[in-house]
Amino acid sequence: MAKERVFIGTGRRKSSIAQVRMIPGSGKITVNGVDVKEFFPYETNIMDLKQPLVATNNEETFDITAKVNGGGFSGQAGAIRLGIARALLNYDQENEGNEGSYRQILKKAGFITRDSRSKERKKPGLKAARRAPQFSKR
């Protein structure tokens, strides 16, 4: 019996970390053991994490299982998106230098780059990171 290939990618966004496993299948996406439509409350989050699959025409090609923790829904969706993009690069390693490779498609769309923006820390004497207390002249 032939062993099925598993493609793994890790994604991070804000304070979320996602471990993504891709197996050839029918396009089913599971996040933390729950269907993606039940896990994410907004359709935009689901569209966001599917973007690398849409860009490479693989929506119905792989079954995806993701474990994600930390952060909110937006950060988790972004982390899964980066994990899917990295797993697709892992899948398409042989074609890496060729024209039309997944690397070129995903890089052009900006899915390979990790978005390093995170919340700025609160400073002493301020109400938030940059928000100062209201000034009173008298």
Side-chain angles (χ1 to χ4, degrees):
M1 190 164 125
K3 187 178 175 187
E4 274 198 20
R5 296 223 27 220
V6 178
F7 306 99
I8 297 171
T10 303
R12 294 178 191 88
R13 170 83 169 95
K14 293 187 178 182
S15 59
S16 301
I17 300 171
Q19 297 168 314
V20 177
R21 293 176 51 142
M22 273 186 2
I23 302 167
S26 60
K28 186 176 182 222
I29 301 175
T30 310
V31 180
N32 289 353
V34 184
D35 186 57
V36 71
K37 289 184 169 56
E38 293 173 33
F39 188 82
F40 287 110
Y42 307 112
E43 191 65 36
T44 52
N45 296 133
I46 298 167
M47 287 170 34
D48 186 35
L49 70 88
K50 284 185 177 180
Q51 283 177 331
L53 297 170
V54 173
T56 57
N57 293 324
N58 284 316
E59 296 125 301
E60 308 290 320
T61 313
F62 296 104
D63 285 341
I64 295 171
T65 307
K67 287 183 194 171
V68 65
N69 58 3
F73 294 122
S74 174
Q76 289 180 346
I80 294 170
R81 179 174 78 176
L82 180 60
I84 290 172
R86 287 181 173 172
L88 283 167
L89 291 178
N90 200 354
Y91 166 73
D92 195 46
Q93 272 182 330
E94 313 85 54
N95 293 335
E96 203 165 302
N98 300 345
E99 200 166 313
S101 69
Y102 287 173
R103 178 171 264 305
Q104 287 184 336
I105 295 167
L106 294 171
K107 187 150 181 85
K108 195 172 191 180
F111 299 137
I112 296 174
T113 309
R114 191 244 202 251
D115 190 349
S116 61
R117 294 176 296 169
S118 61
K119 188 169 180 164
E120 190 175 338
R121 77 173 195 85
K122 182 189 176 300
K123 277 60 163 210
L126 300 180
K127 289 182 174 267
R130 298 184 184 203
R131 168 84 171 98
Q134 186 171 1
F135 175 73
S136 172
K137 198 166 193 176
R138 287 173 191 87

